[in-house]
Amino acid sequence: MGQGTDAEYGLVDLEEADTPGDEWEEIDVSDTEADRIARKRDREFEQFEERITDADQFKVEQSVFDDATFAALYKLVQDGYVEAFGGPLSTGKEANVYHALGDEREVAVKIYRINASNFRHMRDYLEGDPRFEGLGGKKKDVVLAWTKKEYANLMRAEKAGVRVPEPIATERNVLVMEYIGNEDGRAKRLGEVHIENPQTAYEVMREYMRRLYAAGLIHGDLSEYNVVFHEGQLVVIDLGQAVTVHHPNSRDFLERDCENVANFFSRQGLDTDSEELLEFVTDPEPDPSRD
C-alpha cells in the first residue's frame, strides 16, 4: 500500500456528495415475487435449481439454500442482475458471499441464512431502528429485514460520499452488490496489508465516519476487518448492522467504532485518541445522537 493522498484513498469531495436528510423509509418484509415463484415451482424454476445445485463452482449448503432462496436467485437472473455464478468469496455464521457475473461486470452475491445462528444479535441492531418498528419475531422476517437494511445502508453511505460496494439489487435474503476485488481474488482487508502512509489512511477513515454520522448512520462494527484496500482506495464493507443515530444504543456503537479505529492506527505508530476521534466524528453541532 504505497504513499497516498486523499484522492488516492477515494475521499469524495464534500460538495459532490449528495448527503441525505434524516428521512427513513419503512422496510417491507412481506412476501416477494421469489416467495411466489417458490410456491409455484414451475418447470423453468426447477431446471434452474437443478443447474445451480449441480454446478461444481457453486457450493450449495443446505443451511443457506432453501426453495425461496433459489427462487430469489432465479428472480435476480430473470431481472438481469446476475448472469453466471462463481465460487464462494467468504462464508460466515450469518451469510455466504459468492462471486458472480452481472450485467457486463463482476458482482458479489451475499446470501443471508434464514436460520442464522446470530438471530438474537441481529435483533439487537434492528430493535430501536425507526425503519423496523413493528417488526415481528419471526426469524424469516428478521433476516429479510436485515438484508434490506444492508441495501438501504449502502445506498445512504454512497450518497454521503463514503466509498462502499455499490448496492445493485436485493431480493428476499439475497443482496447483489459491486465486487471489490480483481482476478487474484477479493480485496485485502486493512488489517491484511502494509500501510505505508497511516496518517492519510486515518484521516480518510475518520472523515468516512464523520460523513456516515452526518448522514444519520453509525457503522456499529467498524474495524480493520470491515475496511478493504482496493485500487488505491479505502472501501467500507459489511454495513448490515449499521444503525441510525436515533437507535437507543447508537452512542455505545459509535464509541466502540472510535475505539477500534483509534487502536488500530495507534498500532500503526500514530498518536490517536478515541475521545478525540469521537469529538471529530460528532462535530459540528448539533449532535443527532443526543436529540
Side-chain angles (χ1 to χ4, degrees):
M1 194 167 162
Q3 294 290 325
T5 65
D6 285 0
E8 287 178 318
Y9 280 110
L11 195 56
V12 178
D13 189 329
L14 273 175
E15 294 183 357
E16 297 179 1
D18 181 16
T19 304
D22 195 38
E23 75 287 350
W24 298 99
E25 294 182 6
E26 183 178 346
I27 293 183
D28 183 11
V29 295
S30 58
D31 280 3
T32 69
E33 181 63 22
D35 294 283
R36 291 185 282 274
I37 291 172
R39 287 193 293 268
K40 186 178 179 182
R41 292 196 62 85
D42 62 20
R43 181 179 300 178
E44 287 186 4
F45 168 63
E46 290 182 346
Q47 289 175 343
F48 170 84
E49 184 177 15
E50 185 176 352
R51 286 200 308 272
I52 294 295
T53 304
D54 290 344
D56 291 337
Q57 75 274 23
F58 203 72
K59 304 299 181 184
V60 173
E61 298 180 37
Q62 200 62 37
S63 62
V64 180
F65 296 90
D66 56 13
D67 284 349
T69 299
F70 279 118
L73 293 171
Y74 178 67
K75 181 69 166 55
L76 289 165
V77 170
Q78 281 188 321
D79 292 344
Y81 295 114
V82 179
E83 294 183 358
F85 292 99
L89 294 170
S90 66
T91 58
K93 293 180 179 179
E94 295 174 353
N96 285 4
V97 182
Y98 295 89
H99 192 195
L101 179 64
D103 184 13
E104 299 183 350
R105 62 170 168 170
E106 295 173 284
V107 297
V109 179
K110 190 170 190 176
I111 303 175
Y112 279 100
R113 291 176 168 83
I114 295 300
N115 295 314
S117 59
N118 283 345
F119 171 72
R120 288 190 177 89
H121 164 78
M122 286 182 170
R123 289 204 65 91
D124 290 342
Y125 287 93
L126 291 171
E127 290 176 348
D129 189 318
R131 295 170 291 179
F132 301 94
E133 292 180 0
L135 183 69
K138 290 184 180 179
K139 191 172 289 190
K140 185 195 91 169
D141 289 348
V142 171
V143 176
L144 266 57
W146 189 271
T147 309
K148 291 179 179 291
K149 177 175 185 262
E150 181 162 13
Y151 181 86
N153 289 343
L154 288 169
M155 290 283 289
R156 177 154 294 218
E158 187 176 56
K159 288 180 180 178
V162 178
R163 180 69 173 97
V164 295
E166 177 193 348
I168 298 172
T170 182
E171 180 67 43
R172 205 173 179 274
N173 57 319
V174 181
L175 171 63
V176 181
M177 55 190 163
E178 175 189 3
Y179 169 63
I180 307 296
N182 53 36
E183 62 276 4
D184 296 324
R186 66 165 177 82
K188 298 292 186 182
R189 294 182 173 88
L190 201 56
E192 298 174 328
V193 299
H194 172 65
I195 305 173
E196 293 186 11
N197 194 341
Q199 182 64 46
T200 301
Y202 177 62
E203 290 173 1
V204 171
M205 276 301 305
R206 70 177 193 161
E207 180 63 26
Y208 277 174
M209 295 174 71
R210 189 180 197 176
R211 292 184 184 188
L212 283 174
Y213 187 79
L217 281 180
I218 293 166
H219 189 284
D221 192 27
L222 193 61
S223 72
E224 65 270 26
Y225 302 108
N226 285 327
V227 180
V228 299
F229 182 68
H230 178 60
E231 295 182 346
Q233 296 181 328
L234 297 183
V235 185
V236 180
I237 62 172
D238 293 336
L239 273 79
Q241 75 292 317
V243 300
T244 76
V245 293
H246 303 298
H247 189 285
N249 298 324
S250 65
R251 195 71 178 189
D252 292 338
F253 294 152
L254 179 58
E255 290 175 355
R256 185 176 64 192
D257 283 354
C258 289
E259 289 176 4
N260 289 341
V261 172
N263 288 341
F264 172 74
F265 283 101
S266 176
R267 295 194 297 272
Q268 305 305 308
L270 298 186
D271 182 14
T272 61
D273 180 88
S274 61
E275 291 296 325
E276 291 180 359
L277 177 56
L278 178 65
E279 183 177 355
F280 176 85
V281 171
T282 57
D283 183 66
E285 296 293 339
D287 180 345
S289 73
R290 295 303 194 193
D291 286 353

